[in-house]
Structures are given as C-alpha cells and as structure tokens.
Amino acid sequence: MLSPLLASWLTSLRDVGLVLLPLAVGMTALWLLLPQARPRQVLISAFIAGTAALLVGGLVLLRGTGPDVPLLFDVLFWVFALLAVASGVAMIVQRNPVYSALWFAQVVLSTCGLFLLQAAWFLAAATVIVYAGAIVVTFLFVIMLAQQTGLAPYDRQAREPLLACIAGFALLAALQYAVSTAGKTSPDTVQVFAQPRQLPKVQQVLEEVRSRVKAGESPDDTGKLLYLQAAQPESFVGNILFQLAETLPPKERKQERDVCEAANAKISRARLTENAEMMVEGLDQLLALSQRLELRFGKSPLSRLREPHVASLGQSLYGDYLWAVEIAGTLLLVATVGAIVIALRRQEEAA
Amino acid sequence: MSLLITFLMIVVVMTAILTINSYLILLERKTAAWIQDRVGPNRVGFDLGLPFLKRLTGGFHFWGLGQPIADGLKFLFKEQVVPQHVDKVLYFLAPCVAVITALLAFAVVPFGPTPTPQNPDAFPFVIAPNIDIGIVFVFAVSSLAVYAIILGGWASNNKYSMIGALRSSAQIISYEIPLGLSILVVAMLTGSLNLERIIARQATEGFLGWNIWFQPLAWLLFFTAALAETNRLPFDLPECEQELVGGFHTEYSAIKFVMFFLGEYTHMITVSFLTAILFFGGWHFPFIAEPTSSYPGATAVKILVLVFKAGFFIFLIMVLRWSLPRFRYDQLMRLAWVVLIPLGLLNVIVAMIVLHWGLSRWWLLPISLVLFVGAGLIGTVVSTPDKRMIGHARQA
C-alpha cells in the first residue's frame, strides 16, 4: 500500500516528467544541430527532433483538446506553431548569418499567423510591419554590408552550445511547468484572466444561490457560495463577469461594467444587512448580464475574427493607457535624437 | 459555402491580374511609343507568328494584341541561365517573394461594389471582406516586398545587383513613412481603416464627399510615395540602367526576370486601385453608380467605374515614366525626409485640429493647398547642400 502522500508525489512526478521529456529530447536535438567543431549528424538529430515533435503531439492527444474549435483552426494552429519552432531552431543552427536573419523573419511571420488565429489582426499586422518589414531588413542590410568574404569564426562555431541549450531548457521547463499546472488544478479555478467558458458554471452558481435565498436561507451564508474558489476575491462570480465585460467593445463595455458594479454593490450590501429581497435583485441582474455575455462570447472563434477591434484597441491605448503610451513615445523620440547626435559626432571625428 | 466563394474569387482575381499584367506591358510599350512618336508593337497577331496558326487567322495582325502572349511564351521557353556564383536557394526565392507579396496585398482591396449603409447586404467584391485592419494589411504585406529586391540583389553576388538592392531597401523603408502618414488622414476622416467603409462613406456623401476634395495634399503624398514603393520612374533607382546595368535583377533572365516584373505590375495595379478607393470614391460615380442605383446591370457598371478609375491611374503612372527624369539618389532621400515626411506630419496635425474641434471638413482643402504652396516656396528659398555644391562649382 502506498501512502496517499507518496501516491500524489508520484503522480506529480509523472506529470512533470511528461512535460519535461519532450523538452529534454528537443534540447538534445538542438545541441547536436548547433554548429560545432565536429561534423554535424543531421540525420540523427533530425530523427531526435522528430521524436520530440511526436512526444509533444502524443502529450496533446493525452491531455485532450480545449474548447470546440473548427478543424481548420486546429490545423492552422499546428502548422503555424510547428513552423515557428522549426524556424527558430533553423535560425540558431544556421552558419550563414543572412539565412539566420531570414529564418528570424519566418519565425515572426509564423507567430503572426498565431496572432491572427487569436483574432489579433492589428497586432499581427503591426508585428509584420515593424519586425519582418523593418527590423529584419535592417539586419540584412548590416549583415550584407559588413560581411565581405567567408564566415567569421563566431558564425562557424557556437561558443557554448551545451550551456546555452541547458539554460534554454531550464527556462522553457519552468515556463512549461507553470503553464501546465495553472491549467490543471481544477476546472472551477479562476485563472489569471476570466474565461468565457466559465460562464455556464457562473450561471449555475448564481441560480443555486438564488433558489436557496428564495427558500429562506440567510443571504450572508449563501453569499459565500458565490466564490468559485474559497476566499479568493478574484473568483467572486461578480468579478469574473466584470472582467469579461472589460473585454467588450467600448460602447457596451461602459454600460455592462456599470451594471455589474451596481449588482455587486447590491449583493454585498444585502449580505451585510441580511436583506433577501435585495440579494435576489442583485443576483437577477448578474444572471441577466451573464446571459448577455454568453450571447456575445458564445460565437465561434471564426465569427470573433470579424468583429471590429481596432477602435477598441485605440480606445484602450489612447484612453486607458494614454500616459504610458505618451511616455514611451517620448522616450523613443529622445533615444532617436540621441542616436542621431552620436552618429553625427562620430562622422565629424572621422572627418 | 463561403469558403467555396472565396476560393472561386481568388482564382478569378488572380487569373484576371495575371492576364491584365501581360496586357499592361503591351500598354506600357504602346504608351512609350506614342510619347516618343513611334508606332510600337503592332505586328504579332493571335497566330503568334507560327505558320500553322497563320492559316487559321488568315495572317491578320490584330493590331499587335498577340504580343503579350508571344512574349510570355518566349519567356517561358527561354533557357534557364543560372550563374555559377549565385546563392542558389535565395536566388530562386527572391522572384517568388516578389510575386507572392504583390498578389497577397490585393486580398483586401475591393474591385467592385461593396456594402453601404443603404444596402448592407450587398455582395462584397473583395477576396477577404470586412477585414477591420484593411489598409494596414496591405502595408504589412507590401513591407515584405523589399525582401524580393534585397535577396535578389544579395544572392546574385554581383556588385551592381548589391548596390541596387541597398538603394532599394533604403528607398522603400523611407517612403513607407509618408505613405502611412497620407493614409492616416483618410482613416481619420472615415473613422476606420477598412477599405469597404472608406468607400461607403464617400459613396454615401456623393461626389462632394470624395476624399480628394478634402485631402489633395494627402493624395499627392500617397501617389508620390506609392510610385517610389513600386520602384517606378522617376524613382526606379534600384534598377537604374545607366549606372547599375539592370540593378537588382541584372543576373536574372527568362521566367525569373518576368516574375520580378509581375510583382512590379501587380503593385502598380494595387496602388492604382488604392488611389481610386482612398481618394476618388471607389466605385461611386455621380448619377450612374450611386449606392442607391439599382437598375439592371448596376453592379457591372460599378465594377467598370472602379476599373476605369484604376486604369486611369495606371495610365498616369506610365505617362509619368516617360515625362519625368530619374531622381539622383541623394535627391530621392531628401525628397522623402525633408519634404514628404514633414508635409505629411503637418497635414495630419491639421486634420487632427479640424476633426477635434468639429470644424467643417472643407477647411482642409485651402489648408492643404497652402501647405503645398508653402512647401514649394520654402524649397525655392532654402539652400540645399545640392545647390551649395553647384554654387561652389560656379565659383571655382
């Protein structure tokens, strides 16, 4: 007989192992592929990299997929994700810096494909313009001008391939572990951000509390049930609805936020004063709000792609975060002026 | 179902663009001939000069309309010359990038009637309808077009190609800024980046609602910058024959060379359509193509109106090629950084002021003209390094 503690330890060990195994295999492949003094075993490392990819695929199948999305979305996601990772590997194992820069552009483009799948059109376009269109082109510019004949020693051979691989592995493993445990603790947990898929659960809780209050139970006691997770202020269903309302386009956002705030205030006052009538009123408002939100978010990801979002983005950047944007802009301007001044002074010294 | 329609639309539009491209080359040669007082190509009919086809057509020359087909076939069957010293992968990748980016940019550009508030359910004649970022997508894709030139130049492993590519990338990156500034004003006037909405606003407000009335300066900036982006004369320094043999495509021949030109001509088509859409009301034309007009064949008329408007700008670009001499490289960069960008910024600020205080948009017309004339006057007074050099030369 295993003690329950040991059993739970073993389970978590297995989970961690499952997450880390593909990473470790991938790291080995990357280490073999990095340009080093000895000749590269491309076939062997490609085989190991393929194994890592298969392991990841198996892990995903084991976990099961997320919410229902059209098959095309899944396929596109995998295509873009694989392309991004493969191009990233190709970028660092390339000996020729021009090719490295091009693979970097490919990484940027694939990542933009992933942004598009998340309906972040503007982010994708801006990233393409800034990174693929300007920064990588400048890299190419410099590489082509600076590199005349042959490859420099730092291009021919990686400096600390093993250490670099291990450092990258440690970083990725920590990230991967954090992400995988965050998604798994319990289906009721509120993550960092509220999710539309929590709406059915939220409605279920609201209805249960409402029927209990109507049946004569104390509003204060039943009010404790309104937390999806005990004693977590952000798991209060009113907070979840509020966070979801935050993601609406500006016009609706203002209105729904006000509705939510009023209802939340009403519920807390009802709990303090043990006023069943007021409690039911607040619960009804939240229920109606959650139904409206469900209508908004219940659409397929495809239809979300169509929603105008540049206006909301602008509202957010130049409304909510006006000062941050202005300060960042001023800093960049000062940096640009500084760069020009330094460049001019060097020219004068040279002359 | 909508997937099928999109697929069909892509096939139709791509085929149309490729066909139109080949005939644009004929138009370009004819225009050149007219301007230079020649006849131009008028011999090759649909028999393509082949004896067994000649019997079918009776030897009629069809005013040279067979020329593009003959040219295309010639390019296809030419020997593939790949120089020894090139970087093979990138050498072949570059012309592909040129064509792909040029064609991809057309995805959000409407080529016919689009929905308006009067009939929101109209069929949108655009490959990817209702894209909220609209014009920014065109920007994003065409900012990738510079890869074709820079890779072509570098992979050729030839100093002329390299210089052409370096000139070009600096040129394209610089002229993206005035291009963006000019479009920004149009987006501000409409309150959207979506090209269908930009047309819808102009069409709803009628002939006097066309953006050209409020933003002649933005149009000028846009058109100038777009010419530079497409590497057309007077900004075709990347392939400037007198200095660089052929510039970035010196080492390219046969179909690979044609692909670069397909890219350039497709860019030209896109730019012309964008000019018509952003500043000249898109498919709207008083009386014959109003948003409310619903006579039989109205859709076809609207498509024709837009195509004619775009065709006019294509023709204008071709005539400009034979009317203006090429800029020198420093003049080109100075035009972008010293003239176009400050003008564009001032224009944006003026538009912001007008929109913020809710003044009539008609204020923008005189202010635009004042800015333009002012820039011209300053240009005549301020001494540029260029003039100083000429002055030194005179003194010496």
Side-chain angles (χ1 to χ4, degrees):
Chain A
M1 271 302 277
L2 287 167
S3 71
L5 186 70
L6 195 62
S8 78
W9 267 63
L10 275 179
T11 344
S12 54
L13 203 66
R14 188 198 64 193
D15 290 345
V16 173
L18 275 179
V19 171
L20 295 193
L21 185 64
L23 270 182
V25 177
M27 183 195 78
T28 320
L30 182 63
W31 178 65
L32 285 175
L33 273 173
L34 275 175
Q36 291 169 30
R38 57 182 162 68
R40 266 191 283 197
Q41 304 284 338
V42 178
L43 263 181
I44 296 176
S45 34
F47 175 74
I48 298 177
T51 319
L54 279 182
L55 278 174
V56 172
L59 211 77
V60 169
L61 284 182
L62 208 74
R63 279 270 169 81
T65 45
D68 252 353
V69 286
L71 179 69
L72 190 64
F73 254 67
D74 263 350
V75 171
L76 283 176
F77 171 79
W78 285 109
V79 168
F80 284 133
L82 272 179
L83 211 58
V85 174
S87 317
V89 170
M91 178 184 104
I92 51 173
V93 302
Q94 269 297 333
R95 282 209 168 98
N96 189 335
V98 172
Y99 278 84
S100 284
L102 287 177
W103 281 117
F104 179 41
Q106 181 64 48
V107 174
V108 171
L109 291 181
S110 323
T111 318
C112 287
L114 293 177
F115 287 158
L116 283 188
L117 288 181
Q118 295 298 316
W121 279 93
F122 191 84
L123 183 62
T127 312
V128 169
I129 293 176
V130 174
Y131 277 91
I135 292 184
V136 179
V137 172
T138 319
F139 283 174
L140 278 175
F141 213 87
V142 173
I143 292 169
M144 287 174 181
L145 280 177
Q147 179 203 5
Q148 298 299 335
T149 43
L151 295 173
Y154 47 81
D155 285 330
R156 279 200 300 269
Q157 210 171 317
R159 203 168 284 165
E160 288 289 354
L162 190 63
L163 280 182
C165 281
I166 290 174
F169 168 80
L171 268 176
L172 262 183
L175 197 68
Q176 181 77 296
Y177 181 71
V179 170
S180 67
T181 45
K184 235 175 36 174
T185 28
S186 117
D188 303 342
T189 326
V190 182
Q191 314 304 339
V192 187
F193 297 108
Q195 306 266 336
R197 65 183 146 86
Q198 290 170 322
L199 279 172
K201 179 79 188 171
V202 164
Q203 280 174 18
Q204 197 187 321
V205 169
L206 283 171
E207 257 154 26
E208 193 195 329
V209 172
R210 189 172 170 273
S211 63
R212 282 205 191 181
V213 173
K214 280 212 155 174
E217 282 187 43
S218 138
D220 192 30
D221 289 343
T222 51
K224 282 176 191 135
L225 296 173
L226 285 173
Y227 292 85
L228 291 190
Q229 204 183 22
Q232 292 266 357
E234 69 272 13
S235 75
F236 175 54
V237 290
N239 273 347
I240 294 173
L241 292 176
F242 188 82
Q243 281 186 39
L244 286 176
E246 283 275 312
T247 61
L248 290 173
K251 273 181 206 154
E252 292 162 73
R253 180 169 60 188
K254 174 94 182 60
Q255 193 188 342
E256 300 291 31
R257 267 194 325 205
D258 290 350
V259 169
C260 194
E261 264 181 348
N264 284 351
K266 207 171 269 179
I267 289 174
S268 11
R269 211 164 345 121
R271 282 184 64 192
L272 279 176
T273 55
E274 297 268 329
N275 185 340
E277 217 169 281
M278 196 193 265
M279 184 84 174
V280 172
E281 220 171 273
L283 289 174
D284 279 340
Q285 282 173 2
L286 281 189
L287 259 175
L289 173 64
S290 74
Q291 275 152 4
R292 283 199 297 275
L293 285 174
E294 199 169 27
L295 268 181
R296 288 285 309 189
F297 292 111
K299 298 181 211 154
S300 75
L302 270 178
S303 61
R304 262 175 59 211
L305 281 183
R306 303 281 150 151
E307 277 174 25
H309 69 285
V310 178
S312 339
L313 190 67
Q315 189 97 20
S316 187
L317 276 181
Y318 298 105
D320 305 346
Y321 302 105
L322 179 67
W323 285 107
V325 171
E326 291 288 331
I327 291 170
T330 316
L331 270 180
L332 281 176
L333 186 68
V334 171
T336 316
V337 172
I340 292 171
V341 168
I342 292 172
L344 282 181
R345 190 183 299 156
R346 284 230 185 103
Q347 256 177 14
E348 275 162 16
E349 276 165 16
Chain B
M1 191 57 205
S2 70
L3 211 62
L4 190 72
I5 292 179
T6 311
F7 186 72
L8 270 179
M9 198 116 82
I10 292 173
V11 171
V12 170
V13 171
M14 294 296 121
T15 319
I17 286 182
L18 294 182
T19 320
I20 290 172
N21 267 332
S22 59
Y23 275 90
L24 280 183
I25 295 173
L26 182 68
L27 179 67
E28 173 118 59
R29 294 177 65 182
K30 281 281 191 188
T31 319
W34 288 327
I35 290 176
Q36 297 168 348
D37 204 12
R38 297 184 280 120
V39 180
N42 69 345
R43 291 289 116 183
V44 186
F46 290 112
D47 55 48
L48 310 178
L50 301 168
F52 61 97
L53 283 175
K54 210 162 223 163
R55 238 174 291 146
L56 283 176
T57 56
F60 187 59
H61 55 68
F62 288 103
W63 313 279
L65 282 179
Q67 184 76 42
I69 305 170
D71 276 347
L73 285 176
K74 181 191 76 176
F75 276 124
L76 266 179
F77 289 113
K78 254 186 166 178
E79 187 191 349
Q80 289 286 332
V81 181
V82 181
Q84 278 285 307
H85 51 75
V86 300
D87 184 317
K88 293 273 184 321
V89 179
L90 298 185
Y91 179 75
F92 285 107
L93 183 70
C96 302
V97 174
V99 176
I100 292 170
T101 51
L103 288 178
L104 199 58
F106 204 78
V108 295
V109 179
F111 52 90
T114 43
T116 53
Q118 283 89 349
N119 49 346
D121 298 323
F123 181 74
F125 279 84
V126 47
I127 294 174
N130 210 2
I131 300 291
D132 200 36
I133 52 168
I135 188 82
V136 180
F137 175 85
V138 181
F139 262 151
V141 173
S142 46
S143 74
L144 296 178
V146 66
Y147 280 99
I149 292 170
I150 200 166
L151 289 185
W154 186 78
S156 294
N157 200 0
N158 168 327
K159 61 185 169 197
Y160 294 120
S161 302
M162 190 62 200
I163 295 172
L166 288 180
R167 279 183 177 184
S168 167
S169 32
Q171 171 183 336
I172 291 185
I173 293 177
S174 307
Y175 276 84
E176 252 169 32
I177 302 168
L179 197 70
L181 287 174
S182 59
I183 292 174
L184 197 59
V185 183
V186 175
M188 269 160 41
L189 283 176
T190 313
S192 172
L193 295 163
N194 187 335
L195 288 168
E196 290 126 277
R197 283 185 191 222
I198 291 175
I199 300 182
R201 190 195 65 75
Q202 298 179 76
T204 323
E205 291 182 18
F207 185 58
L208 289 179
W210 289 9
N211 283 329
I212 182 69
W213 300 122
F214 315 119
Q215 280 304 320
L217 183 63
W219 172 70
L220 197 69
L221 292 178
F222 175 80
F223 200 66
T224 315
L227 273 183
E229 290 274 301
T230 48
N231 287 330
R232 293 286 303 187
L233 263 165
F235 304 112
D236 71 335
L237 285 141
E239 43 185 293
C240 155
E241 289 90 350
Q242 289 85 343
E243 302 162 21
L244 298 179
V245 192
F248 65 92
H249 58 65
T250 305
E251 301 284 6
Y252 284 87
S253 59
I255 193 72
K256 304 188 290 296
F257 170 76
V258 174
M259 280 165 83
F260 276 121
F261 268 72
L262 268 185
E264 183 182 319
Y265 274 83
T266 311
H267 257 303
M268 214 160 88
I269 296 178
T270 313
V271 162
S272 305
F273 267 94
L274 283 180
T275 316
I277 288 164
L278 292 173
F279 295 99
F280 291 87
W283 46 262
H284 173 266
F285 201 83
F287 307 118
I288 58 166
E290 295 279 359
T292 46
S293 55
S294 56
Y295 54 87
T299 307
V301 169
K302 285 173 183 172
I303 295 179
L304 279 181
V305 166
L306 182 53
V307 169
F308 268 107
K309 281 180 187 174
F312 173 78
F313 290 111
I314 292 177
F315 188 66
L316 184 66
I317 293 175
M318 286 176 177
V319 173
L320 275 181
R321 171 172 180 181
W322 302 107
S323 322
L324 294 176
R326 176 181 295 134
F327 276 60
R328 220 174 49 214
Y329 191 65
D330 58 322
Q331 293 171 332
L332 176 94
M333 290 315 250
R334 192 167 320 120
L335 179 69
W337 289 96
V338 180
V339 183
L340 295 185
I341 294 176
L343 259 184
L345 279 173
L346 278 177
N347 198 27
V348 169
I349 292 171
V350 167
M352 276 174 180
I353 292 171
V354 167
L355 287 175
H356 185 262
W357 274 283
L359 306 175
S360 160
R361 272 176 308 177
W362 286 103
W363 279 104
L364 289 171
L365 176 63
I367 297 174
S368 268
L369 296 177
V370 166
L371 279 180
F372 178 68
V373 174
L377 284 179
I378 292 173
T380 58
V381 175
V382 171
S383 134
T384 59
D386 195 36
K387 279 185 196 153
R388 280 203 293 273
M389 229 156 67
I390 296 171
H392 286 310
R394 266 203 212 116
Q395 279 163 16

